[in-house]
Amino acid sequence: MPGLSGPHWRRVMAALANRDARTAYAQIVLGEEVLPGVKEQRRTRAIAVLLEAGLAEWTGSKGLEASDAVFRELLTQQPKRQPKTGVDRFLRLGRIDRYPASPADRRELLGWIVAQAIQPGEDLSERQVNERLLNYADDVVLLRRYLVDFGLLERTASGSSYRRPSGESTS
């Protein structure tokens, strides 16, 4: 891969995906002879792939050695995780990890959930609401209660169905 300096994860993975290079790397790590019985051209190419990837290096007295630093260097190249923003701060894999303490943040999270789970104008039974809310939390009773308390979900007077309030904005 031209233009890259130092190890690059794609180059390392490509080297390890190559059967000859992978075998040669294992033999170098174990201090064995590299690809004995293989034609010189294949052996030379496998070694060249390892050298280009930074997985092996020539040393004066010992010949080829596995690089001690390549994986450490690759790990330092990884981007830092960006802090989560918005409702993502309270979700893990799309489910509620924790409820926000701030009422404004809690309303934002609940608004997002109701917008995802229930379409405007839909009339749903309690069972249907619970099934949909199960995608976001294990305690659907608590979540349903929060949605009602925050005015994001209305229960009919008979208690037979739930719907989003008409004219309600989730943001």
Side-chain angles (χ1 to χ4, degrees):
M1 293 185 164
L4 297 175
S5 62
H8 187 274
W9 71 270
R10 287 182 187 271
R11 193 180 307 164
V12 170
M13 294 306 293
L16 295 174
N18 176 305
R19 174 178 242 156
D20 285 343
R22 186 173 57 247
T23 302
Y25 181 67
Q27 291 167 334
I28 292 168
V29 168
L30 296 172
E32 297 176 358
E33 183 182 352
V34 177
L35 299 175
V38 172
K39 289 185 179 179
E40 187 59 29
Q41 185 178 3
R42 273 180 59 193
R43 180 180 180 279
T44 301
R45 180 64 193 135
I47 291 171
V49 167
L50 295 174
L51 292 170
E52 289 169 15
L55 287 166
E57 52 194 31
W58 287 109
T59 62
S61 58
K62 297 181 183 177
L64 278 173
E65 279 193 354
S67 171
D68 289 334
V70 66
F71 297 108
R72 184 174 44 255
E73 289 177 34
L74 287 172
L75 288 171
T76 64
Q77 295 174 11
Q78 296 304 307
K80 302 291 184 223
R81 285 190 179 169
Q82 296 297 317
K84 291 182 177 181
T85 59
V87 297
D88 287 339
R89 295 173 293 165
F90 311 109
L91 300 173
R92 182 163 190 225
L93 302 174
R95 293 176 54 84
I96 297 173
D97 184 46
R98 63 186 173 89
Y99 285 98
S102 154
D105 287 341
R106 187 170 293 188
R107 184 176 194 341
E108 180 184 9
L109 173 65
L110 296 171
W112 178 83
I113 290 171
V114 80
Q116 299 291 313
I118 302 169
Q119 297 301 313
E122 260 187 315
D123 283 323
L124 302 170
S125 69
E126 186 173 295
R127 176 185 221 152
Q128 290 171 312
V129 170
N130 289 348
E131 287 172 359
R132 292 189 187 185
L133 296 182
L134 194 55
N135 291 319
Y136 303 96
D138 291 329
D139 189 345
V140 295
V141 174
L142 177 66
L143 178 53
R144 190 181 67 238
R145 182 172 296 134
Y146 280 150
L147 292 173
V148 171
D149 290 349
F150 275 80
L152 299 170
L153 193 62
E154 289 179 340
R155 193 169 117 172
T156 58
S158 66
S160 62
S161 67
Y162 290 81
R163 72 174 68 168
R164 285 172 54 176
S166 56
E168 170 266 322
S169 169
T170 57
S171 48

